[in-house]
Amino acid sequence: MDINFPLILVILVFVSGVVALVDKLFLGKKRNATQAEPALVEYSKSFFPVLFIVLVLRSFLVEPFQIPSGSMVPTLEVGDFILVNKFTYGIRLPVVRTKVLDINDPKRGDVMVFFPPNEKRYFIKRVIGLPGDRIDYVNNQLFVNGEKVSEELQARLPAGRPFFELYEEKIDDVTHRTRKEVLYSESYYDQRYVKNYTIPEGHYFMMGDNRNNSSDSRVWGPVPEENIVGRAFAIWMHWEGFSSLPSFSRAGSIQ
């Protein structure tokens, strides 16, 4: 079961704030100087400002996430810890995610965190299509509005007998890397086949950079605007688990 941390944080801030306020307005005035504060009041006063600051930072400025799958390889690897800008696409209320202030719209090439349709888990993919765009993905080739997206082969791995290829892809003014499996059966590509798909207003077409190993808009459709969480902009740490040490060798901006 996924833990709804934003909801838990909001509840903790509310409860600790109410306890601290009630004590200040009512209970504290009834205690004399020799009486100690109840433990609940003491903890509430101590934790409320810290929890409030964390809530503001996570909800409106920057939120950390960990990459759990390889769908964004080679851009993001399993174990990467990333930072997500929460105000790039507008200010939203925590938990309910209602937008209260418009700022910018997603652009093609952005790496974005969101909730897929009918899902309550966070996903991270790249914005490929904007509202009104026509998307085609045929035989492992991506087309946006009838134009093939520019890509250049960078490497075949492993050497000698390629199992996958690394490409440098350019969509609008964003250059990034993608990975494609080298397959000998065209029937596999049919599983990710998209032809003449026009994106509805208020929706975005998302794809993983690991093109043959990503559950994305080719599977569950475009993402509605209200499901957007924020734009991923930096890797700050890589840590695969307790069997390894954290590393900062991958720290840097996300392209």
Side-chain angles (χ1 to χ4, degrees):
M1 181 178 66
D2 293 327
I3 297 176
N4 192 334
F5 184 77
L7 177 60
I8 294 174
L9 186 58
V10 167
I11 292 173
L12 290 175
V13 170
F14 177 77
V15 171
S16 61
V18 168
V19 170
L21 182 62
V22 169
D23 182 75
K24 182 176 179 63
L25 296 178
F26 304 106
L27 301 181
K29 295 179 180 180
K30 298 180 180 180
R31 289 195 302 270
N32 58 47
T34 60
Q35 287 181 305
E37 289 183 339
L40 178 61
V41 173
E42 183 179 356
Y43 285 132
S44 294
K45 287 183 176 180
S46 299
F47 287 114
F48 172 74
V50 177
L51 293 172
F52 181 78
I53 291 173
V54 171
L55 176 64
V56 171
L57 288 176
R58 286 179 57 97
S59 300
F60 305 115
L61 297 177
V62 176
E63 184 172 359
F65 288 88
Q66 182 183 10
I67 302 301
S69 74
S71 68
M72 282 295 290
V73 170
T75 304
L76 299 172
E77 297 182 359
V78 176
D80 282 346
F81 284 74
I82 65 171
L83 297 175
V84 173
N85 186 319
K86 299 296 290 288
F87 61 85
T88 297
Y89 304 134
I91 302 298
R92 297 175 184 270
L93 296 177
V95 182
V96 296
R97 304 200 304 274
T98 301
K99 182 184 285 189
V100 295
L101 180 63
D102 276 318
I103 298 179
N104 297 306
D105 294 323
K107 300 177 181 178
R108 293 190 197 92
D110 286 357
V111 177
M112 191 165 77
V113 173
F114 57 92
F115 293 96
N118 305 314
E119 277 272 10
K120 295 184 178 180
R121 295 179 298 154
Y122 292 108
F123 273 51
I124 181 168
K125 310 288 180 184
R126 191 176 297 274
V127 179
I128 296 298
L130 307 179
D133 282 351
R134 191 180 81 248
I135 300 296
D136 299 271
Y137 194 78
V138 182
N139 294 332
N140 235 16
Q141 299 295 325
L142 174 63
F143 298 82
V144 178
N145 295 324
E147 295 187 7
K148 181 180 177 181
V149 173
S150 173
E151 62 180 8
E152 182 178 338
L153 180 64
Q154 300 293 302
R156 288 187 173 95
L157 299 171
R161 186 185 177 188
F163 290 95
F164 62 87
E165 297 173 332
L166 297 178
Y167 287 86
E168 185 175 83
E169 180 178 278
K170 184 174 183 181
I171 183 166
D172 289 357
D173 58 348
V174 177
T175 300
H176 62 96
R177 295 182 300 160
T178 63
R179 168 175 158 161
K180 296 181 181 180
E181 299 291 333
V182 178
L183 302 170
Y184 301 98
S185 171
E186 291 296 326
S187 62
Y188 180 89
Y189 297 139
D190 293 340
Q191 299 177 28
R192 297 292 187 270
Y193 182 94
V194 178
K195 184 68 173 177
N196 293 329
Y197 184 87
T198 300
I199 303 167
E201 286 300 315
H203 290 71
Y204 296 88
F205 198 91
M206 312 299 299
M207 290 177 63
D209 289 346
N210 194 354
R211 291 290 162 79
N212 302 114
N213 291 280
S214 172
S215 175
D216 50 39
S217 289
R218 293 171 292 175
V219 177
W220 29 253
V223 175
E225 190 274 340
E226 58 267 23
N227 285 20
I228 293 174
V229 175
R231 183 178 66 86
F233 68 93
I235 301 170
W236 65 276
M237 184 179 74
H238 180 85
W239 188 25
E240 295 183 5
F242 292 105
S243 60
S244 63
L245 294 175
S247 169
F248 299 93
S249 61
R250 287 181 47 77
S253 62
I254 296 173
Q255 301 298 323

